[in-house]
Amino acid sequence: MSNSSQPSPDRSSPDHAGSGQQVVGDADNLRVSVLSEALPYIQRFAGRRIVVKYGGAAMVRADLREAVFRDLALLACVGVQPVVVHGGGPEINEWLGRLAIEPQFREGLRVTDAETMDVVEMVLVGRVNKQIVNGLNRVGGKAVGLAGCDGGLVQARPWGDGSHGLVGEVASVDPSVLAPLLANGYIPVISSVAPDAEGLAHNINADTVAGEIAAALDAEKLILLTDTPGILMDRQDPGSLIRQISLSQARELIASGVVEGGMTPKTECCIRALAQGVSAAHIVDGRVAHSLLLEVFTNSGIGTMVVGSSRQLHG
Ligand code: ADP
Ligand code: MG
């Protein structure tokens, strides 16, 4: 961030020379009118929880990372209560590579043995989580890092028939540790690693964790940042974005195979979150700078919005 974008109370600068002339420039007018137009959105979402799954390019590219951190800090600053859930990005594979452990995927999910899980946990909880916390704090947010074990937030059970090793699904969520943090303006940053009933750490798809936490928190929105414009009718064609779908249409897209791979857990967790009372779930292009603010502070939004069938309007 350049110094010129820092607010300054100094009225002796050339801009504010005592000429008696109009000193408010176009940029100032624009900033004030944009802020003023944001008022109804701020009023609508202040005090509400918005759960954001952070991953993909928005986690990798420095400019996008900075934009996401600023968006989250801004949301918290105006009284919205963002909660961040993150995956590992490329760092897990990078560390598995350094340690000569071959990553394996099945149905979009990592197959995880004990050796791999050690690396997943160290990288996700020890490094990626703290980088996000530091990044948020650097732009003026108050972030606190948590994993599933902290305060008993998330308990895992083995995914499916257990053949994916230490890949878990969410058995239960106890969001009570989050309430005092949110009430005091902290931004919880949650790693998608959680213990089973015996305390054995499992890696859970971060979209799934975000969806379950959104449901447990009775969140206003669930926003999944990813590297596509949203759900595409034809995944080769970025122009085939589906702007809005109902729960039943979302289920049909999975059944018909339009949605597959990594988009399946995303769509499924949107369905589950909505079925459990979250108002709207969004799959949003994290490659677009400030995609979070575009989703929260505009009527049209960006990406795909999944809504309960009674909801018609975007927002
Ligand atoms: P993330 O890292 O954000 O979790 P994933 O790779 O797990 O992303 O999931 C997104 C991927 O899902 C897309 O890159 C795309 O390859 C795949 N995909 C499958 N079906 C669709 C669809 N209908 N529309 C968009 N992407 C789809
Ligand atoms: Mg994924």
Side-chain angles (χ1 to χ4, degrees):
M1 192 166 52
S2 73
N3 282 336
S4 62
S5 64
Q6 296 278 11
S8 162
D10 178 10
R11 297 195 164 193
S12 63
S13 64
D15 258 9
H16 295 101
S19 60
Q21 288 178 351
Q22 176 62 269
V23 291
V24 176
D26 288 350
D28 293 326
N29 277 322
L30 179 64
R31 184 181 309 116
V32 168
S33 73
V34 166
L35 265 175
S36 180
E37 281 162 24
L39 178 63
Y41 297 96
I42 294 171
Q43 287 169 325
R44 170 155 174 214
F45 293 115
R48 306 291 177 93
R49 286 126 185 213
I50 295 184
V51 177
V52 177
K53 188 295 186 102
Y54 177 50
M59 197 183 245
V60 177
R61 271 177 46 190
D63 56 332
L64 294 174
R65 215 162 43 215
E66 186 78 10
V68 172
F69 294 155
R70 290 178 63 98
D71 287 1
L72 289 164
L74 190 149
L75 288 173
C77 197
V78 299
V80 184
Q81 300 180 344
V83 174
V84 180
V85 178
H86 67 90
E91 279 229 19
I92 292 175
N93 287 348
E94 189 190 314
W95 278 95
L96 289 171
R98 282 197 209 184
L99 299 166
I101 301 168
E102 208 42 48
Q104 290 176 47
F105 290 88
R106 202 179 299 161
E107 292 158 49
L109 294 166
R110 190 184 295 275
V111 180
T112 308
D113 58 14
E115 193 186 28
T116 304
M117 190 60 222
D118 283 345
V119 177
V120 169
E121 188 169 23
M122 285 190 278
V123 173
L124 269 185
V125 182
R127 190 168 156 81
V128 178
N129 185 275
K130 297 311 156 208
Q131 285 172 338
I132 298 168
V133 168
N134 272 315
L136 282 165
N137 289 345
R138 203 165 30 78
V139 297
K142 294 197 298 177
V144 173
L146 301 163
C149 63
D150 290 299
L153 178 58
V154 180
Q155 195 177 101
R157 62 162 178 256
W159 188 82
D161 61 4
S163 64
H164 288 71
L166 295 170
V167 175
E169 53 191 319
V170 175
S172 62
V173 175
D174 173 359
S176 55
V177 70
L178 300 178
L181 295 176
L182 292 170
N184 287 288
Y186 290 99
I187 305 173
V189 178
I190 302 163
S191 297
S192 58
V193 170
D196 66 6
E198 273 73 52
L200 191 61
H202 284 61
N203 184 23
I204 310 179
N205 179 281
D207 300 314
T208 307
V209 173
E212 295 298 325
I213 286 178
L217 281 175
D218 212 6
E220 188 68 21
K221 280 182 188 292
L222 167 67
I223 301 179
L224 308 175
L225 292 180
T226 187
D227 292 351
T228 70
I231 300 179
L232 305 173
M233 205 53 211
D234 168 3
R235 81 189 67 104
Q236 310 304 332
D237 175 12
S240 68
L241 174 68
I242 302 170
R243 302 267 309 139
Q244 183 172 321
I245 47 171
S246 66
L247 284 185
S248 55
Q249 288 169 323
R251 288 193 189 99
E252 281 163 26
L253 290 178
I254 296 172
S256 67
V258 169
V259 161
E260 53 143 51
M263 195 52 80
T264 305
K266 281 185 211 307
T267 308
E268 278 172 347
C269 83
C270 289
I271 293 170
R272 285 181 57 79
L274 287 167
Q276 294 177 77
V278 174
S279 303
H282 306 260
I283 299 171
V284 166
D285 197 340
R287 299 167 304 178
V288 176
H290 300 297
S291 48
L292 276 181
L293 293 190
L294 286 168
E295 188 51 69
V296 177
F297 286 163
T298 65
N299 258 339
S300 55
I302 61 169
T304 299
M305 178 164 76
V306 190
V307 287
S309 41
S310 59
R311 282 280 298 273
Q312 291 301 323
L313 293 173
H314 201 125

